[in-house]
Amino acid sequence: MEEKILSIEEKLLRQAERKRRKKRKRKLIRLVFLLCALCLLVFYLLSDMSKVKSFTVLNNTYYSDEQILEKAHLDYNSSYLLTIRFWVNHLLKQDPLIKSASLSKDLQGGFTITIEEEKVIGYLSSDPSQVLIQGVGIQTIHDIELQNVPRIGAFTDDQLQLLDDAFEDVDTEVLAMVSEILPHSESYNANMVRIVMNDGNRITTSYNGIHLLNSYKKILPQLEGTHVCLFMDEYSGNIIKQNTDCVNSSGEENPQNNE
């Protein structure tokens, strides 16, 4: 049988057709591969393998671990891959008691949430839901029982601002030892502060002397008796024991004190 001799044009057409078939075949293979990968991804996301394996919450004192996870909208059904760090941090920082938050993931499927809390100076005796946060001011906090937070007496708005400024340099560890913060009046200064400690000792000082609270733990071994009355002198920086009955002294709480 005589072999047909193809023209150059026919050869080019056949080569083009072969290339199109190969291209369609590659596209089909890629499509099948993508569909398989998508099926595997869906299977993984729907399986327990994709879920968070463990949670660790650090540096939280006002809220429990469970409350932090609730605020972050996280639980053991949360997806390890689909949980976005930025969004979790954003949700937590919406709470007035949380200054900053950081979510990190480990290779074992665990989440660690590190919290930086605001410094709470105390709650108002007139309304426990009103909380004085250092550097922020008065905030309304509902549905939480703050532990180791002082009760604040009947200060004026201007005096609350003075307290806010004065407690900026007071360590949170020492602040947790304070039971009450009350306005106080003396003959030589009608605008002072009486600080009642958890151990019953009472400290009188000016607003400018409040930072001396950081030395309170150092002087405790030197004190004798209970309900000791102390005076913190802003000028000398000394904490002085007074031989007076500061428990029953007059002017302990005077809401009309002015600056």
Side-chain angles (χ1 to χ4, degrees), residues 16 46 61 63 72 79 84 109 125 146 188 194 199-200 209 230 238 244:
L46 293 177
T61 57
Y63 295 114
S79 170
I84 303 174
S125 58
L146 295 173
Y188 54 89
R194 171 66 56 80
D199 55 17
L230 302 169
N238 294 324
T244 59

Side-chain angles (χ1 to χ4, degrees), residues 75-107:
D75 56 33
Y76 283 99
N77 290 318
S78 299
S79 170
Y80 180 86
L81 290 179
L82 299 182
T83 299
I84 303 174
R85 291 185 177 91
F86 168 80
W87 183 244
V88 171
N89 299 342
H90 169 75
L91 289 175
L92 290 171
K93 286 190 290 186
Q94 300 309 298
D95 190 281
L97 294 180
I98 297 177
K99 188 173 184 179
S100 66
S102 176
L103 170 67
S104 61
K105 302 179 180 182
D106 60 44
L107 297 179

Side-chain angles (χ1 to χ4, degrees), residues 179-192:
S179 175
E180 293 181 274
I181 305 171
L182 307 169
H184 182 73
S185 176
E186 293 285 354
S187 59
Y188 54 89
N189 189 345
N191 193 34
M192 301 187 72

Side-chain angles (χ1 to χ4, degrees), residues 30 65 106 108 136 159 167 180 184 187 203:
R30 284 198 296 267
D65 292 359
D106 60 44
Q108 288 72 45
V136 178
Q159 290 172 329
F167 274 93
E180 293 181 274
H184 182 73
S187 59
I203 302 170

Side-chain angles (χ1 to χ4, degrees), residues 27-195:
K27 285 185 176 180
L28 180 61
I29 292 174
R30 284 198 296 267
L31 180 60
V32 172
F33 176 78
L34 289 175
L35 288 175
C36 291
L38 181 61
C39 290
L40 289 174
L41 178 61
V42 171
F43 173 77
Y44 171 77
L45 293 176
L46 293 177
S47 70
D48 290 339
M49 293 185 295
S50 70
K51 308 305 180 185
V52 182
K53 301 301 186 295
S54 64
F55 289 106
T56 303
V57 183
L58 303 176
N59 302 337
N60 53 313
T61 57
Y62 302 135
Y63 295 114
S64 65
D65 292 359
E66 291 75 17
Q67 288 173 313
I68 293 294
L69 294 178
E70 183 179 354
K71 291 177 181 297
H73 297 174
L74 292 174
D75 56 33
Y76 283 99
N77 290 318
S78 299
S79 170
Y80 180 86
L81 290 179
L82 299 182
T83 299
I84 303 174
R85 291 185 177 91
F86 168 80
W87 183 244
V88 171
N89 299 342
H90 169 75
L91 289 175
L92 290 171
K93 286 190 290 186
Q94 300 309 298
D95 190 281
L97 294 180
I98 297 177
K99 188 173 184 179
S100 66
S102 176
L103 170 67
S104 61
K105 302 179 180 182
D106 60 44
L107 297 179
Q108 288 72 45
F111 283 2
T112 298
I113 300 175
T114 304
I115 301 295
E116 181 184 1
E117 297 176 328
E118 298 282 4
K119 181 193 290 186
V120 174
I121 297 174
Y123 65 90
L124 302 188
S125 58
S126 58
D127 184 357
S129 68
Q130 299 297 299
V131 177
L132 179 59
I133 299 176
Q134 199 284 313
V136 178
I138 295 293
Q139 296 288 309
T140 301
I141 308 294
H142 292 298
D143 303 326
I144 180 175
E145 184 177 346
L146 295 173
Q147 302 293 326
N148 299 322
V149 173
R151 182 179 73 90
I152 299 176
F155 289 88
T156 65
D157 290 343
D158 289 341
Q159 290 172 329
L160 288 174
Q161 183 58 57
L162 291 174
L163 283 181
D164 190 335
D165 297 337
F167 274 93
E168 179 179 3
D169 297 324
V170 175
D171 297 338
T172 54
E173 182 182 3
V174 177
L175 184 56
M177 302 171 66
V178 177
S179 175
E180 293 181 274
I181 305 171
L182 307 169
H184 182 73
S185 176
E186 293 285 354
S187 59
Y188 54 89
N189 189 345
N191 193 34
M192 301 187 72
V193 179
R194 171 66 56 80
I195 300 173

